[in-house]
Amino acid sequence: MRNRFDDQLDILNKKMIEMGAMCEELIAKASHALLNDDLELAHQVISDGESIDRSEREIEGFCVKLLLQQQPVAGDLRQISAVLKMVTDMERIGDQAEDIAEILPFLKNQNMENCDLIRKMAHATIQMVNQSIDAFVKKDVKLAKEVMAQDDVVDAFFLKMKKLLIHMISENPQHGEIALDLLMVSKYFERIGDHAVNIAEWVIYSVTGEMKGKA
């Protein structure tokens, strides 16, 4: 019975890895579309987001079956409970990648290839998502804490971007609309980082039973 349960947990891990990879790819595509003014790729991001929604529902259903059929206790129960929370954050990461893609038509022909801060934010958040899922699979508390520490870097990028946009508006008020769109893009990347932190916190809970900042 235990061997069968372990096999099912392995399947669950693989499903989480697959969903995490989809999230990473969606962020990468959204940022590439943004920085290269690629409307076709932006439309693909919006379409691909449905796959993440389906994956969320599939994993939730799998977890419910494990809970009903295996009645796990202690660490196993924490792991499954954590997954049910994590997939919500992963689905929202997909939503935010879609939101970035949806802004692209309003930024058309704005010379985005030189927006180095947004490129850095995209790279940092993709890494955070990757490492948070890796930490879950490996049950690696240290790696989860590294993800949480990286959030400070993303937040610093966001604050710097906000200051640059304020300066842009002060220099030329006609750029107010484009500045607002760029601020929203930056905020979406910052929120992706926040969701990666949430995932990391659930990893720590699944391993230790301790949940920072959660009731």
Side-chain angles (χ1 to χ4, degrees), residues 33-213:
L34 179 72
L35 295 167
N36 294 278
D37 195 24
D38 190 334
L39 281 175
E40 183 177 348
L41 184 59
H43 290 312
Q44 185 180 335
V45 169
I46 295 168
S47 176
D48 289 350
E50 296 177 3
S51 298
I52 291 180
D53 295 339
R54 288 194 296 270
S55 184
E56 179 193 23
R57 292 192 294 269
E58 181 182 344
I59 291 173
E60 285 176 340
F62 193 84
C63 287
V64 170
K65 282 185 178 180
L66 285 180
L67 291 171
L68 292 176
Q69 294 176 0
Q70 303 293 340
Q71 297 181 343
V73 295
D76 293 330
L77 179 59
R78 286 201 309 269
Q79 182 177 356
I80 296 170
S81 300
V83 167
L84 286 169
K85 296 291 186 179
M86 290 164 64
V87 291
T88 299
D89 281 293
M90 293 165 72
E91 188 273 335
R92 288 175 181 169
I93 286 171
D95 286 346
Q96 256 121 34
E98 291 179 63
D99 289 335
I100 292 168
E102 288 172 353
I103 285 180
L104 180 55
F106 302 99
L107 294 172
K108 193 167 178 60
N109 301 319
Q110 292 298 327
N111 199 27
M112 288 296 297
E113 68 272 10
N114 293 321
C115 198
D116 191 49
L117 270 178
I118 286 182
R119 183 179 290 105
K120 288 179 178 178
M121 289 187 78
H123 176 76
T125 53
I126 290 170
Q127 184 179 33
M128 288 176 70
V129 173
N130 175 278
Q131 291 182 337
S132 64
I133 301 302
D134 199 27
F136 167 75
V137 173
K138 295 177 179 177
K139 295 181 173 59
D140 190 333
V141 171
K142 181 181 177 182
L143 183 57
K145 289 181 178 179
E146 289 176 6
V147 172
M148 294 164 68
Q150 289 176 47
D151 192 46
D152 291 337
V153 175
V154 175
D155 289 345
F157 284 146
F158 175 70
L159 291 175
K160 189 172 182 180
M161 188 69 180
K162 187 161 63 172
K163 289 179 181 178
L164 287 174
L165 295 174
I166 290 171
H167 179 71
M168 177 195 292
I169 296 172
S170 66
E171 288 288 308
N172 191 340
Q174 291 182 339
H175 289 162
E177 187 172 346
I178 184 72
L180 181 59
D181 288 336
L182 288 173
L183 180 63
M184 290 302 298
V185 168
S186 302
K187 186 62 180 176
Y188 290 139
F189 279 120
E190 190 262 345
R191 287 297 297 141
I192 289 171
D194 288 343
H195 288 304
V197 168
N198 287 346
I199 293 170
E201 289 179 344
W202 285 115
V203 170
I204 294 172
Y205 167 76
S206 70
V207 176
T208 68
E210 298 177 0
M211 192 63 200
K212 180 181 177 182

Side-chain angles (χ1 to χ4, degrees), residues 16-32:
M16 290 293 286
I17 292 170
E18 290 170 0
M19 187 174 180
M22 284 191 286
C23 289
E24 294 168 44
E25 183 179 7
L26 210 63
I27 304 166
K29 283 182 178 179
S31 59
H32 183 85

